[in-house]
Amino acid sequence: MSYQVIARRWRPRVFADVIGQEHVTRTLKNAIRQGRLAHAFLFTGPRGVGKTSTARILARAINCRNLDLENPEPCNECETCQALFEDRELDVIEMDAASYTSVEDIRRINDVARLAPVAGQKKIFIIDEVHMLSKSAFNAFLKTLEEPPEHVIFILATTDVHKVPSTIRSRVQRFDFRPLSQVEIANHLSKICEAEKWECDEEALWLVARQADGSLRDGEGLLDQVVSFSGGSAKIDATRDVLGILPEDLLYRATGIVAEHDNESIPAYFEDLARTGTDYAALLQELQRYWTDLIFLKQNLDLPGKTEAESQRLKTAGESLEIEDLFRLVRLATKLEDEIKWSVTPRTRFEVAFLRWANLDRVVTIRDILAGSESTSSAGPKPARQPVKTQPAKTPTPPAVHKPEKPRAVVHENSESVQPAAPISGEPSLKTLHAKWHKILGVFEKTQPAAAAQAEEHWTPDSLKGNKLTICPDSSNEFLLRQMKEALPALQQAVKELTGWSLTIVTGKPAANENNNKPKIKKTESDSPGGDLFNSIKSQFGAEEVPDDQIREPE
């Protein structure tokens, strides 16, 4: 007997053998069990996922003489099932719509459909690649598909369902077959190798599953090719050679060069790529996969198909790369892959881009910037920078220009470099708090900048009874009140730092409206941060402050 490829030898024979399509097989089995089979089905999905195989299993189950309704699977032993396996069953007609596309072909189906089944219960038509029918053929098929004879069932299969007219889709029950995952394909290939007694590496099967791209038939065909090459085994090196997958060392070296800015190793790397005749588009695809796997490892996610040693080697290659750096590299590699496809000099484009990648600075996220600014603000007073004495350059003496005296640096009470003020003697008083309010807010702003801005505009010290200070907001907005309550501990600390008083601060009732009778605490120039500096700059440059009503927008 002539050799049969793995894809044909391992074709599913019952619903339970169909891999990854339980939502389809379960529905069909329940429909058979309950006697609710539709008169027409449409199986759609990518190549090699089991559409035609499921259609044949359904045809055998419908006409099987030994069918058990408790488990509606074809027996595959009765005369009807054997006739279908041997392609001599008259009641199941399978047609390739890519070869028979005309109205005449559909007219013959319409004529045959009127005839009663010869041996089985139903006459079943399986039309594969139905989207290839012509527009006129679809129109000729509409009436029969909508109201076929009671003994007829149509099973249509297609990989491009969007090419099937909506008038056809509305007359059938549609089942969408999904692409298979790498785990499902790898497990099935491992089962085949075990049954055939082939030695196989787990990583080799995962490479085959990845190359199959969701198609089980493609995966079985690639495995058949690898086993033929190796002589009854599926090893990782042989699998890479057969599938044309680049050696792992090329990806490891590329990642290390980019991660360490190792420009000295780039010429030798380029020479190795040219000597081995590397396909640069394929290299970019593998780099994208390699860097994506590294992202998974850096986020402590599972990476199926990788051994512990391979995962550790991958981590070592990109140890100095952050996740954001890897995201950027994947994005750049994807863009370069699209450009290389249309380039007449792919090697030059790759080498120029790779040189640029090897000299990229590291990505700094907004989160890191904010964290750095917070750590700087909480680091305490900074030592004054010592002036650097430099020798004046020998240049022509410029014309004499009157230079105003350099003002002294102004140190403000609420700046970050100021030490806490000495405690105020005497008992706490509301008047003193009013006088020191803006200075208190300056200290408060170090830890709660957003709340300090709200406090300056909307909070007013209302009353002081013993050590209990009541502060009233001028708004009843729930968000502002919640923010105020959360910031009160920090405000208590600011009051204690500036005055030395340990007060308990509580919130009072919001004012009835914003124009209440309580006077606002006015802010003096000396209280505002940079007030004296502003005055010194005015005097230095002879500037005048322009009132707000005289400010004019530029034309």
Side-chain angles (χ1 to χ4, degrees):
M1 182 178 179
S2 61
Y3 175 74
Q4 276 192 332
V5 296
I6 294 177
R8 290 186 61 187
R9 195 161 69 248
W10 283 84
R11 183 186 289 272
R13 299 170 66 90
V14 293
F15 287 119
D17 293 341
V18 180
I19 306 297
Q21 312 299 340
E22 185 182 358
H23 62 291
V24 176
T25 57
R26 181 177 179 181
T27 304
L28 294 176
K29 290 172 66 175
N30 287 338
I32 295 173
R33 184 184 297 112
Q34 301 169 15
R36 299 173 57 88
L37 277 175
H39 64 271
F41 299 92
L42 176 62
F43 293 167
T44 176
R47 70 187 188 281
V49 295
K51 299 184 298 297
T52 305
S53 297
T54 304
R56 292 175 178 175
I57 295 171
L58 178 60
R60 290 199 301 273
I62 292 174
N63 286 336
C64 180
R65 297 179 180 178
N66 301 327
L67 184 68
D68 181 9
L69 292 180
E70 294 298 325
N71 183 27
E73 298 274 15
C75 70
N76 296 328
E77 296 177 356
C78 66
E79 177 61 26
T80 303
C81 292
Q82 288 297 320
L84 279 169
F85 281 128
E86 298 170 6
D87 198 19
R88 54 182 177 82
E89 172 60 42
L90 299 178
D91 292 332
V92 178
I93 302 169
E94 188 169 344
M95 185 186 88
D96 179 19
S99 303
Y100 302 95
T101 64
S102 64
V103 176
E104 292 298 326
D105 299 318
I106 297 299
R107 185 177 291 120
R108 281 194 291 271
I109 290 178
N110 294 339
D111 293 339
V112 174
R114 298 191 183 97
L115 303 176
V118 177
Q121 299 178 7
K122 300 284 186 179
K123 184 178 288 291
I124 302 169
F125 293 87
I126 302 175
I127 304 178
D128 207 357
E129 300 299 335
V130 70
H131 65 276
M132 299 296 290
L133 290 177
S134 64
K135 182 177 180 180
S136 300
F138 275 125
N139 291 334
F141 194 30
L142 288 177
K143 186 61 178 176
T144 303
L145 188 63
E146 182 177 8
E147 296 178 354
E150 293 184 358
H151 59 269
V152 171
I153 292 180
F154 290 102
I155 305 176
L156 315 180
T158 178
T159 54
D160 292 315
V161 69
H162 64 280
K163 294 182 180 180
V164 179
S166 58
T167 51
I168 296 291
R169 297 200 301 267
S170 65
R171 289 167 165 82
V172 299
Q173 278 191 4
R174 173 174 167 175
F175 291 89
D176 290 281
F177 287 67
R178 65 173 182 84
L180 274 67
S181 67
Q182 293 183 19
V183 176
E184 293 169 331
I185 296 177
N187 290 341
H188 182 69
L189 296 182
S190 177
K191 179 181 176 181
I192 293 176
C193 291
E194 183 178 354
E196 300 287 347
K197 298 181 180 180
W198 295 331
E199 295 183 6
C200 62
D201 294 339
E202 182 181 358
E203 188 182 2
L205 298 182
W206 276 92
L207 286 179
V208 173
R210 184 181 292 117
Q211 290 293 108
D213 195 24
S215 171
L216 184 60
R217 184 175 62 221
D218 288 6
E220 292 171 338
L222 292 174
L223 177 62
D224 206 346
Q225 190 175 352
V226 170
V227 172
S228 298
F229 175 82
S230 304
S233 64
K235 299 297 183 180
I236 180 62
D237 294 334
T239 303
R240 287 186 177 278
D241 293 339
V242 172
L243 302 183
I245 299 175
L246 296 174
E248 193 85 6
D249 184 61
L250 288 179
L251 309 179
Y252 178 84
R253 290 171 59 190
T255 305
I257 290 172
V258 173
E260 304 299 334
H261 302 296
D262 187 9
N263 291 332
E264 295 181 358
S265 302
I266 292 179
Y269 182 70
F270 286 166
E271 182 64 25
D272 290 342
L273 294 180
R275 187 178 63 255
T276 56
T278 302
D279 182 352
Y280 292 97
L283 174 59
L284 289 169
Q285 292 175 3
E286 289 299 311
L287 284 174
Q288 294 171 49
R289 178 193 60 78
Y290 197 75
W291 291 335
T292 302
D293 290 346
L294 185 54
I295 292 174
F296 273 68
L297 290 178
K298 283 185 173 290
Q299 292 183 332
N300 297 321
L301 300 176
D302 293 334
L303 195 61
K306 289 284 185 182
T307 63
E308 186 64 28
E310 292 163 349
S311 298
Q312 188 60 40
R313 176 179 168 85
L314 182 56
K315 286 182 179 180
T316 304
E319 187 174 2
S320 61
L321 291 173
E322 298 296 333
I323 292 178
E324 294 298 330
D325 297 319
L326 293 168
F327 278 130
R328 179 172 62 167
L329 288 172
V330 171
R331 185 171 63 251
L332 292 173
T334 303
K335 181 180 179 182
L336 181 60
E337 181 190 354
D338 294 336
E339 295 174 353
I340 278 183
K341 291 178 180 179
W342 308 102
S343 175
V344 295
T345 56
R347 175 181 175 180
T348 302
R349 295 199 68 125
F350 174 82
E351 291 180 352
V352 170
F354 192 83
L355 282 168
R356 182 168 176 265
W357 298 351
N359 291 277
L360 287 175
D361 292 330
R362 293 292 175 259
V363 174
V364 180
T365 64
I366 296 177
R367 186 184 300 106
D368 295 336
I369 295 174
L370 293 177
S373 63
E374 291 176 0
S375 62
T376 303
S377 63
S378 61
K382 299 179 181 178
R385 179 181 297 177
Q386 298 295 331
V388 180
K389 295 182 179 181
T390 58
Q391 296 295 332
K394 295 182 178 181
T395 55
T397 305
V401 179
H402 173 69
K403 296 183 179 179
E405 183 181 357
K406 184 177 180 181
R408 294 182 179 180
V410 181
V411 181
H412 306 287
E413 294 181 354
N414 60 343
S415 65
E416 294 182 4
S417 61
V418 176
Q419 297 293 338
I424 300 175
S425 59
E427 294 295 326
S429 66
L430 189 62
K431 183 178 180 180
T432 304
L433 287 172
H434 280 174
K436 297 291 184 180
W437 181 243
H438 290 294
K439 296 180 181 180
I440 293 172
L441 294 183
V443 178
F444 181 44
E445 187 179 10
K446 296 178 184 178
T447 56
Q448 298 285 339
Q454 292 292 333
E456 187 168 356
E457 295 294 332
H458 305 290
W459 300 0
T460 305
D462 183 71
S463 62
L464 178 63
K465 296 180 180 180
N467 288 334
K468 182 178 180 181
L469 173 62
T470 303
I471 296 180
C472 294
D474 62 2
S475 172
S476 59
N477 183 279
E478 292 184 4
F479 173 76
L480 297 179
L481 291 176
R482 186 168 63 252
Q483 185 185 40
M484 180 180 180
K485 292 178 181 179
E486 293 174 354
L488 288 183
L491 182 58
Q492 291 179 184
Q493 183 63 29
V495 172
K496 184 176 181 180
E497 182 177 342
L498 192 67
T499 65
W501 299 335
S502 297
L503 301 180
T504 301
I505 303 178
V506 297
T507 57
K509 294 182 179 180
N513 53 61
E514 295 184 0
N515 299 323
N516 51 22
N517 296 326
K518 295 181 183 285
K520 291 286 184 180
I521 299 175
K522 294 184 178 180
K523 185 177 181 180
T524 63
E525 288 184 354
S526 61
D527 289 333
S528 63
D532 293 340
L533 180 61
F534 178 67
N535 291 333
S536 65
I537 293 175
K538 284 171 54 180
S539 63
Q540 179 179 351
F541 292 99
E544 295 181 0
E545 186 174 0
V546 180
D548 293 343
D549 56 357
Q550 296 182 14
I551 296 177
R552 182 167 57 87
E553 294 291 336
E555 298 180 357

